[in-house]
Structure formats: C-alpha cells, structure tokens
Amino acid sequence: MTESTADLMVRAENVHKSFGPLEVLKGIDLAVRPGEVCCVIGPSGSGKSTFLRCINHLEKINGGRIWVDGDLVGYRERGGKLHELREKEVAAQRQSIGMVFQRFNLFPHMTALENVMEAPLRVRRESKAEVRERATALLARVGLGDKVGTYPGQLSGGQQQRVAIARALAMRPKLMLFDEPTSALDPELVGEVLDVMKDLAQEGMTMVVVTHEIGFAREVGDSLIFMDDGVVVEAGAPRDVIANPQHDRTKAFLGKVL
Ligand code: ADP
Ligand code: MG
C-alpha cells in the first residue's frame, strides 16, 4: 500500500477473521480515501458483512489491522503489541462510524423524529433543542420532512430505511457503512434509498457500501472490490471491473447479477 495511513479514511491490512474453525476473511486489504465511495460486491457467504462489521469492531479480528481516520480500530499498539481497547473506548470509536443494515431496526414505539434523536440524546451531552433541530433537518434531507411524527409501522420500507440513514447521520459520522441497504426492499422502493445515498456521496461523505446494485456501484462508486470466499479477488475503478473483469470468478458473478 503506497498511501500512508494518515491520508486514508479506512485502511485494512491483511485482515483475518475466523469463527471457530471457519476462516471467513483470509487477508483482506482495503484503502478508502476521505470522500470516496467504495462498493463491495460478492456472492452470499463471501465475508462481506463480516468485513464491514470488523471495520467498527462489532467483530474482533484474528489478524491484521484496520485503521479508521488514522486510528487503529479496537486496539492500542504498545511496545509492538496490540492491546484490545476497553468497551467504553470501542464505543467511543464506533460513534464516529455510522452503520445502516439491510433490516432497518427502528424503534417501533418511537416516531421517526424520536428514532433520529435517540442516540445523540443518550450518548452525547447535547441539548434536546439542538438535537431536535438537527434531527428535523436530517429527516428533511432524506425527503421525510413531512413524516417526523410518524411511527415506523406507518412508513414504507424505503421510508424506514431513509429514517435509518438519518439516524446514523445524527451522530455526525466521518464514515458510513452500508450493508445491503436495499436488499430487503420491494423493487419500486430501492431507487429512493439509493438516491439518498447518492446525495450523501455527492456531499462528500466517505462510504463503504456492500450492495448488489451494480448500477449504483458504477455510477456512484469511486472504487469497487469483488470478494469471494474471504479474499478480495479483484479491485479497481467500478467501470473497469464491471465492463472488463479480469478473473473468472468475477466474470461468473457479474454474469449472474447483471
Ligand atoms: P456475506 O455478507 O458475504 O454474505 P457473511 O460475512 O455474512 O457473508 O458470512 C461469511 C461466512 O461467515 C458465512 O459462511 C457465514 O455463515 C459465516 N458467519 C458469519 N457470521 C458468523 C457467526 N457469528 N458465527 C459463525 N459463522 C458466521
Ligand atoms: Mg451479508
């Protein structure tokens, strides 16, 4: 890797992860510059979600290193040895990393606005008025200015996912991780969520996006990596990888999803 850790928003080096005897990540490298959108594609079970979860230390890695904005994730290095951070320190790191999942997991008993306000109110010492103002603006930004008082049960899947994005943004993350954010949606609702993500990208948010939406990857992605069986098989500019895949496994996968 030629760029220094300090210049990258995400850097992963030789990341290994096993669940018991099952090695799921077999030496993953990744470099994402500030403001870039990195899309991750690959067959089911290839380790995409696991890798994403390693980036904010929801999973402990068994080897290698991950840095976010120059800080080692989950560990402190002292005398050449890695020491795992305490839960409180991990939580503090995680606050600057927003995550959006396939399933939106909104609190059903809270309105859209309350869902967006929840984390900043619980975690940060900000005034309620300040948080409310920001949450209201974020809901407007994802096109839900008229739904602040609506409960998740009354929202479509696409609207719920946009609330989930606003909720992640409420913590002012420097990095957003998306794990198949449109995979659980009816086809006609996919576009509205991708549009919000595209706006976010254009505003300069650094994003790592696991997705099967090849069109999104081609249009919005700055880089694309294809994972299979725990390794990065191929990486490059989305247009190049999609139009001219070099490896048989990439060709076979794209042949199925395109
Ligand atoms: P993808 O997101 O690419 O579909 P995953 O990262 O979810 O792949 O899973 C990769 C592999 O790791 C799969 O074989 C899956 O069954 C396994 N796996 C994921 N999470 C766990 C876990 N908590 N315990 C055991 N195996 C797991
Ligand atoms: Mg997954």
Side-chain angles (χ1 to χ4, degrees):
M1 213 160 291
T2 51
E3 278 166 290
S4 84
T5 304
D7 295 335
L8 295 170
M9 182 56 80
V10 185
R11 180 178 174 198
E13 190 185 83
N14 199 22
V15 169
H16 286 259
K17 171 68 186 174
S18 298
F19 294 107
L22 179 69
E23 192 177 31
V24 172
L25 302 178
K26 304 172 180 173
I28 302 286
D29 292 325
L30 180 80
V32 185
R33 290 186 207 91
E36 273 187 358
V37 176
C38 171
C39 292
V40 181
I41 60 172
S44 179
S46 56
K48 305 180 300 295
S49 295
T50 303
F51 179 57
L52 217 55
R53 291 166 56 80
C54 289
I55 295 177
N56 63 3
H57 206 59
L58 286 171
E59 300 287 355
K60 243 180 250 185
I61 62 179
N62 304 112
R65 274 157 212 223
I66 299 174
W67 294 263
V68 169
D69 201 18
D71 292 330
L72 205 52
V73 172
Y75 299 89
R76 171 181 298 116
E77 192 163 8
R78 217 188 284 127
K81 271 192 175 173
L82 294 185
H83 303 269
E84 194 171 11
L85 297 179
R86 283 173 303 202
E87 195 46 51
K88 239 178 114 173
E89 297 170 302
V90 172
Q93 271 190 340
R94 219 173 263 149
Q95 276 179 37
S96 60
I97 305 173
M99 190 151 184
V100 174
F101 303 90
Q102 188 172 333
R103 289 257 143 238
F104 342 116
N105 303 317
L106 298 176
F107 297 112
H109 59 290
M110 292 184 186
T111 64
L113 185 66
E114 287 164 349
N115 265 282
V116 178
M117 291 176 66
E118 195 271 340
L121 280 186
R122 182 170 40 82
V123 176
R124 299 254 169 93
R125 289 199 191 146
E126 291 176 80
S127 79
K128 199 164 178 177
E130 209 177 309
V131 171
R132 179 186 300 275
E133 193 178 321
R134 187 158 85 245
T136 306
L138 282 168
L139 283 170
R141 181 167 157 194
V142 299
L144 295 173
D146 57 339
K147 300 290 184 194
V148 286
T150 307
Y151 288 88
Q154 263 68 58
L155 296 171
S156 73
Q159 290 170 332
Q160 289 184 57
Q161 191 60 301
R162 286 187 279 148
V163 174
I165 293 171
R167 181 178 58 176
L169 293 174
M171 293 296 280
R172 305 187 207 269
K174 49 191 173 191
L175 169 68
M176 286 284 285
L177 307 175
F178 291 87
D179 193 359
E180 298 196 34
T182 61
S183 292
L185 299 177
D186 292 334
E188 74 272 22
L189 304 178
V190 167
E192 65 190 57
V193 173
L194 293 180
D195 284 346
V196 165
M197 293 168 62
K198 190 175 157 185
D199 286 347
L200 201 53
Q202 277 165 356
E203 286 159 27
M205 178 61 76
T206 312
M207 299 164 45
V208 181
V209 183
V210 175
T211 185
H212 294 299
E213 297 292 334
I214 301 297
F216 177 87
R218 180 169 34 211
E219 196 189 341
V220 181
D222 296 291
S223 61
L224 178 67
I225 74 173
F226 170 66
M227 276 179 71
D228 193 11
D229 197 21
V231 300
V232 174
V233 174
E234 191 159 345
R239 269 163 216 285
D240 296 343
V241 176
I242 293 163
N244 192 18
Q246 297 299 301
H247 294 260
D248 288 343
R249 285 197 272 177
T250 320
K251 287 176 196 167
F253 176 77
L254 287 170
K256 273 183 232 160
V257 297
L258 281 175

